[in-house]
Amino acid sequence: MEKIVRLERIGILGGYDKNGQPEPVREVEFNMGQVASIVGATGSGKTTLIKDVELLANKNTPSNRTITFNGIVPSEEYCPVPSDRLIALITQHTNFLSDMRVKDFLVTHASIRGSRGENSVVDETLMFANQLTGESIDTANVMTELSGGQTRALMIADAVVIGESPIILLDEIENAGIHRIKVLELLKQYKKIFIFVTHDPRITLLSDFRIVMKNGAMQKVIATNGEEKKVVEQVKKIDDLLLRLRAYIRNGEIITEFHLKE
Amino acid sequence: MKLAICSGPPTSGKTTVLKHVIKKLTNKGENTAFVKTDVQFACEDDFFAQELNIPTKKIYSGELCPDHCNVMILGDALEWAEKERATVLVVETAGLCLRCSPYVEGAFGMVVLEATSGMNLPKKIGPMLSLADIAVVTKIDLISQAEREVFRARILEVCPGMRIIESDALHGIGVEPIVKMIYNSSDMKEPIYLRGNPPIGTCTICVGKKEIGWKQHFGIVRPLDNQVFYRGE
Ligand SMILES: Nc1nc2c(ncn2[C@@H]2O[C@H](COP(=O)(O)OP(=O)(O)O)[C@@H](O)[C@H]2O)c(=O)[nH]1
Ligand SMILES: [Mg+2]
Ligand SMILES: [Zn+2]
């Protein structure tokens, strides 16, 4: 099977909405290094869209969408297999089921991937993961003993560092017990395609563009430009304030006017 | 008549995969007949008869190893399917005997494994995996990408070169290559032989002697501290 020499961009060719009508957006492209968001009400088809990307849909999923590589519609001969280290999808539901110890699992995964210097890669992965979670990961722990936040943090770190997946899909990780802003900051240092399914205004506005979903279809693509970039700083402040409030409440404090000041 | 034999541990997703495969075979103009062999309970025959409107049958192996049972009934099953004017016979086995495998020469053989079953499964199931033409890994929607890769590598450790397909079988995703392989396989010709060798069998326990301890038995017996040699009469 022919492999993709170098992935520069992927695309989604539109399929059908829930009523079988062609979806308004016929094509979206994601370039290496871009961050994109998928937004829309619950049930609007966000997860289905991201699953189509993960499964490298080729008119063989319910939506009838097609995923392209460097602008090419894969033929049967020219089609990357899902395990070809291309895409990692992390959702608030994906769990580790393996009862291996964290360290052993990472070493195993690194050796399968043929990573250079297994141990240093494993250390880098753990360092990355520990920046995303409040509770640092004990490598002697069995994978299934990790908390939700630790699990998601390790999955993201593994996909980025060991997996070296060029495309990373994150489905509503704001509810997954990890520092979502830290995720965005760290990820931006790697030249990959990141696609967030999100309800979070801050993640959305820090993305290069967003796809708006409704009724199972891509309705429009909005690039984050001038006007919106101006308000990002304000949104950050509001968001930081809410994060601080959350911390106060967690600490058992009584909230007053004072806490709302910067 | 083409023959496709599918095995795999219980709940691994055999029926779910086959449902999508048979639908697609029908779309390609094949007439499929379906046989399920199981030990003591199965309802796949009713399910497929209703859902897909195809001729179905089931057989319970009872005391007999389901894979051995399969050998016994396969001849009749092919005749029956012929009478039903089928062009493909699909057999779903119970896949419980980890010493045998149900595949036969000249027929398509596939094993279905669930990605959720633990990283060591591929090492545990012997000829059911190693003698298959293709391994289908289901439930990939439930585990991490990292574990999927490790699971795949474990299969390849046991069977280098094995063709592996990963599928979210609930949504029938990834099954096209299976359809294609069945569609392109050739018709069965008698005599048909079992692929690989059946395991050495019969001891006095098989025929109902229940007392514990190898000294109470003759035939092929094995003591606890010796994993290499069998004692035979
Ligand atoms: N999430 C998920 N569930 C699956 C998948 N494949 C099968 N199942 C479920 O697993 C259960 C057992 O599947 P079944 O096909 O009956 O297994 P069989 O005993 O091997 O025939 C059913 O509830 C299926 O819906 C899959 O790829 N993903
Ligand atoms: Mg079944
Ligand atoms: Zn047997």
Side-chain angles (χ1 to χ4, degrees):
Chain A
M1 194 178 308
E2 210 180 322
K3 298 236 166 135
I4 288 188
V5 191
R6 209 192 138 130
L7 188 68
E8 278 155 12
R9 60 188 201 279
I10 61 161
I12 305 175
L13 301 184
Y16 301 112
D17 71 9
K18 281 184 186 161
N19 309 326
Q21 298 302 312
E23 60 189 323
V25 176
R26 301 312 300 162
E27 184 169 10
V28 197
E29 286 214 313
F30 307 81
N31 292 309
M32 273 299 155
Q34 276 188 326
V35 177
S37 288
I38 300 172
V39 300
T42 307
S44 60
K46 303 188 293 296
T47 296
T48 308
L49 180 64
I50 212 170
K51 282 226 150 193
D52 282 343
V53 177
E54 189 212 7
L55 295 163
L56 312 177
N58 195 351
K59 293 191 186 292
N60 57 353
T61 61
S63 67
N64 211 43
R65 293 191 181 105
T66 308
I67 306 303
T68 61
F69 299 87
N70 297 346
I72 300 166
V73 179
S75 62
E76 216 150 325
E77 291 71 41
Y78 183 86
C79 178
V81 284
S83 58
D84 225 7
R85 57 176 79 177
L86 221 46
I87 297 181
L89 167 69
I90 292 137
T91 76
Q92 41 179 330
H93 305 297
T94 11
N95 278 312
F96 286 125
L97 287 171
S98 164
D99 54 5
M100 287 167 89
R101 291 184 193 287
V102 171
K103 180 87 183 196
D104 296 340
F105 182 84
L106 293 178
V107 169
T108 307
H109 189 203
S111 72
I112 288 168
R113 280 276 169 144
S115 305
R116 15 95 216 178
E118 277 160 33
N119 278 322
S120 70
V121 171
V122 169
D123 291 342
E124 189 184 333
T125 305
L126 285 164
M127 245 163 58
F128 192 122
N130 282 331
Q131 283 179 271
L132 304 184
T133 163
E135 338 135 70
S136 109
I137 296 167
D138 181 350
T139 56
N141 266 1
V142 168
M143 310 267 284
T144 45
E145 289 169 357
L146 299 176
S147 73
Q150 289 175 322
T151 299
R152 251 65 72 185
L154 191 58
M155 266 180 207
I156 294 174
D158 173 276
V160 172
V161 183
I162 296 180
E164 296 185 308
S165 308
I167 304 165
I168 305 225
L169 314 173
L170 300 162
D171 193 350
E172 299 199 22
I173 51 144
E174 57 259 35
N175 301 325
I178 52 179
H179 299 307
R180 64 202 153 86
I181 302 309
K182 197 86 197 175
V183 173
L184 201 58
E185 271 170 24
L186 280 177
L187 292 186
K188 280 201 161 171
Q189 299 167 9
Y190 292 81
K191 199 168 154 50
K192 293 175 185 292
I193 295 170
F194 294 105
I195 307 178
F196 286 84
V197 168
T198 189
H199 295 288
D200 189 290
R202 185 163 173 182
I203 291 181
T204 308
L205 292 177
L206 288 172
S207 306
D208 296 297
F209 63 91
R210 59 185 183 271
I211 302 170
V212 185
M213 299 298 297
K214 196 179 159 189
N215 195 31
M218 299 185 283
Q219 299 296 333
K220 50 184 165 181
V221 178
I222 302 175
T224 320
N225 48 25
E227 207 51 27
E228 282 191 334
K229 283 196 173 131
K230 273 190 223 152
V231 299
V232 170
E233 283 311 312
Q234 271 166 279
V235 172
K236 277 186 187 167
K237 280 192 188 130
I238 299 171
D239 187 55
D240 285 339
L241 174 63
L242 285 173
L243 285 176
R244 281 200 305 276
L245 274 179
R246 194 157 82 179
Y248 293 142
I249 289 172
R250 278 186 178 156
N251 283 337
E253 290 178 37
I254 309 288
I255 304 301
T256 62
E257 290 273 339
F258 168 78
H259 291 95
L260 298 181
K261 302 224 171 69
E262 275 184 49
Chain B
M1 165 120 35
K2 296 165 190 168
L3 174 61
I5 298 178
C6 170
S7 75
T11 76
S12 60
K14 299 180 290 298
T15 306
T16 313
V17 170
L18 289 177
K19 181 178 86 179
H20 294 287
V21 167
I22 294 174
K23 268 189 197 159
K24 287 180 196 272
L25 282 172
T26 308
N27 291 344
K28 279 175 163 277
E30 297 278 12
N31 291 325
T32 307
F34 173 83
V35 170
K36 166 76 193 179
T37 55
D38 215 314
V39 182
Q40 49 198 1
F41 178 78
C43 52
E44 280 86 348
D45 53 331
D46 293 335
F47 173 75
F48 279 125
Q50 275 170 20
E51 177 107 342
L52 303 176
N53 199 19
I54 57 170
T56 66
K57 248 188 194 315
K58 79 176 144 215
I59 168 106
Y60 292 141
S61 62
E63 327 278 72
L64 203 58
C65 154
D67 290 340
H68 291 190
C69 174
N70 208 42
V71 175
M72 300 294 176
I73 58 111
L74 207 48
D76 292 349
L78 281 163
E79 262 175 42
W80 163 77
E82 198 82 55
K83 281 207 197 92
E84 297 283 349
R85 295 169 193 274
T87 54
V88 183
L89 173 63
V90 172
V91 180
E92 178 184 336
T93 72
L96 293 174
C97 177
L98 305 180
R99 308 167 306 167
C100 311
S101 85
Y103 315 118
V104 299
E105 298 290 355
F108 174 76
M110 85 173 176
V111 64
V112 178
L113 306 176
E114 46 188 338
T116 48
S117 58
M119 297 295 137
N120 287 327
L121 181 85
K123 298 183 178 176
K124 293 179 183 169
I125 56 171
M128 182 156 77
L129 171 61
S130 58
L131 293 179
D133 295 308
I134 191 168
V136 182
V137 178
T138 58
K139 308 198 186 179
I140 53 168
D141 50 316
L142 297 179
I143 65 166
S144 65
Q145 169 73 13
E147 285 167 302
R148 270 158 72 172
E149 282 166 26
V150 174
F151 195 76
R152 186 186 173 87
R154 286 284 158 86
I155 294 178
L156 290 172
E157 249 170 57
V158 181
C159 321
M162 173 62 73
R163 175 140 190 222
I164 301 171
I165 283 181
E166 296 183 343
S167 169
D168 170 354
L170 273 190
H171 299 99
I173 287 151
V175 303
E176 271 87 7
I178 306 170
V179 177
K180 206 167 168 189
M181 283 174 87
I182 296 178
Y183 187 75
N184 291 336
S185 62
S186 30
D187 289 329
M188 297 302 291
K189 277 192 231 50
E190 308 240 353
I192 303 171
Y193 288 99
L194 202 54
R195 222 182 262 185
N197 298 315
I200 39 173
T202 27
C203 60
T204 36
I205 305 153
C206 302
V207 294
K209 197 164 181 289
K210 298 208 299 194
E211 196 173 343
I212 300 297
W214 64 270
K215 291 195 178 108
Q216 318 308 326
H217 296 274
F218 59 88
I220 312 284
V221 295
R222 161 149 91 174
L224 179 63
D225 58 6
N226 187 336
Q227 294 287 312
V228 183
F229 298 109
Y230 294 94
R231 287 157 191 268
E233 280 281 312

